[in-house]
Amino acid sequence: AKPKKVAVLNATASRIFQSYIAEVDDSNSMIDFGDSKIFFSGMLSGQRCMDKFSQLRLIEQIKSS
């Protein structure tokens, strides 16, 4: 599979994924792997989810890239 966009929608999973990539730090919410882009985020729903406006910002960021 060669996805164009990947969203990691869990804070713990995002930190684990970022720990394997040297050029990514906690301030980056997206990395570019040439043909693929990876977006990092917290959970979208549930008890400790992100607020509605942060969800909308993430959706717009994914759409615009």
Side-chain angles (χ1 to χ4, degrees):
K2 295 182 181 180
K4 299 262 183 208
K5 299 174 185 176
V6 176
V8 182
L9 301 177
N10 183 285
T12 302
S14 294
R15 280 193 298 273
I16 291 169
F17 195 99
Q18 288 176 341
S19 72
Y20 288 98
I21 302 169
E23 70 270 7
V24 176
D25 58 23
D26 287 338
S27 65
N28 291 342
S29 62
M30 191 264 307
I31 57 171
D32 192 351
F33 275 133
D35 292 339
S36 299
K37 294 182 191 269
I38 301 174
F39 298 88
F40 300 105
S41 173
M43 293 177 15
L44 296 179
S45 63
Q47 185 177 5
R48 299 180 71 200
C49 67
M50 68 172 66
D51 63 274
K52 185 66 175 173
F53 300 108
S54 296
Q55 288 178 16
L56 293 173
R57 245 189 329 267
L58 174 65
I59 291 166
E60 287 303 315
Q61 183 182 16
I62 291 171
K63 283 181 181 179
S64 68
S65 64

